[in-house]
Amino acid sequence: MKPDINELQQKLGYEFKDESLLLRALSHSSYFNENHGTCEGSNERLEFLGDSVLGFITAENFFKNYTDFPEGDLTKLRAAMVCEKSLASFAREIQLGKYLMLGKGEVVTGGRERPSIQADAFEAVIAAIYLDGGMDEARKFVLKYIDEAIKKHRSVKDYKTMLQEVVQRNPGEIVEYVLAGESGPDHDKRFEVEVHLNSNVIGRGVGKSKKRAEQEAAREALELMGL
């Protein structure tokens, strides 16, 4: 039985011009193997394309919005956002498993709730939207989930704000960021910053900008506090 794609499109926030693309994105290989005559193909090729589209959109977004992050931090952040666990959670938000076309064996063994199947299908849906509506529509769809998920991810939280919130629990205490040193040529400066609590050093940080160094100092202070 075909899924209610009109209902799904409402959840996706996107209406397909070519609904066969969405049906393909929902077709697991187990379903295709059992329905050669009635199914055009599985979602595996779309999953392959969707993985690349997702990777580009997240990389572009992080590059533009996290200008103080070095390459290593950007890589870790992207990996966290596009891992199976994250993608499966995005899929569950729209109950994607409910609409998947699976083989009988997969249905019986709980395939609709399996994270790997949900994550793969989510990537396939991204590819289907990309092919049907272009990169702008794909970007709009992906960033709805990424922007919300990133708010919960510790690595991009504002450590200075977090530290200030902790300190404010004790009225009268003062946090101050002090530039402790600079090094390197003009095109590749390194700044060292100390964070002081009532004149006591509670953290040090180094970064390519004073802002980044302050964040690193605040992060170290929070770690020393066990937070």
Side-chain angles (χ1 to χ4, degrees), residues 151-224:
K151 293 175 185 176
K152 305 172 185 176
H153 199 264
R154 185 177 176 86
S155 69
V156 294
K157 285 185 178 178
D158 185 341
Y159 293 112
K160 288 179 66 177
T161 299
M162 292 170 66
L163 179 60
Q164 190 64 39
E165 289 172 351
V166 172
V167 172
Q168 284 175 346
R169 296 172 190 169
N170 299 302
E173 299 204 325
I174 300 173
V175 171
E176 183 182 11
Y177 292 88
V178 178
L179 181 63
E182 298 180 27
S183 62
D186 289 341
H187 68 277
D188 191 24
K189 280 280 189 184
R190 288 291 188 276
F191 298 89
E192 182 179 354
V193 168
E194 296 177 345
V195 57
H196 295 189
L197 178 62
N198 300 330
S199 301
N200 297 311
V201 178
I202 59 171
R204 291 183 174 87
V206 177
K208 290 186 176 182
S209 68
K210 292 178 184 177
K211 180 181 175 182
R212 182 61 183 170
E214 288 173 356
Q215 288 286 347
E216 288 298 315
R219 181 181 63 79
E220 182 177 279
L222 289 165
E223 288 182 352
L224 290 172

Side-chain angles (χ1 to χ4, degrees), residues 33-46:
N33 291 336
E34 294 178 10
N35 298 272
H36 283 290
T38 59
C39 179
E40 294 183 8
S42 75
N43 62 6
E44 290 179 344
R45 284 173 58 83
L46 285 176

Side-chain angles (χ1 to χ4, degrees), residues 53-130:
V53 174
L54 173 65
F56 172 75
I57 290 171
T58 52
E60 177 191 51
N61 182 56
F62 298 159
F63 179 82
K64 289 180 177 178
N65 292 310
Y66 300 100
T67 55
D68 290 328
F69 274 45
E71 182 269 342
D73 287 353
L74 291 173
T75 299
K76 291 176 184 176
L77 181 58
R78 182 178 60 180
M81 292 296 104
V82 303
C83 68
E84 180 182 294
K85 181 180 179 181
S86 294
L87 297 181
S89 72
F90 301 157
R92 285 193 293 273
E93 288 184 36
I94 52 175
Q95 297 179 295
L96 189 58
K98 170 184 174 182
Y99 304 95
L100 296 180
M101 294 184 286
L102 307 173
K104 295 175 183 177
E106 285 292 350
V107 172
V108 171
T109 57
R112 294 190 188 284
E113 302 302 321
R114 189 167 299 134
S116 59
I117 290 179
Q118 291 183 330
D120 291 348
F122 191 82
E123 288 184 325
V125 168
I126 292 171
I129 292 174
Y130 167 72

Side-chain angles (χ1 to χ4, degrees), residues 20-36:
S20 69
L21 283 168
L22 179 56
L23 286 171
R24 174 75 70 90
L26 301 174
S27 301
H28 188 255
S29 57
S30 62
Y31 179 84
F32 173 66
N33 291 336
E34 294 178 10
N35 298 272
H36 283 290

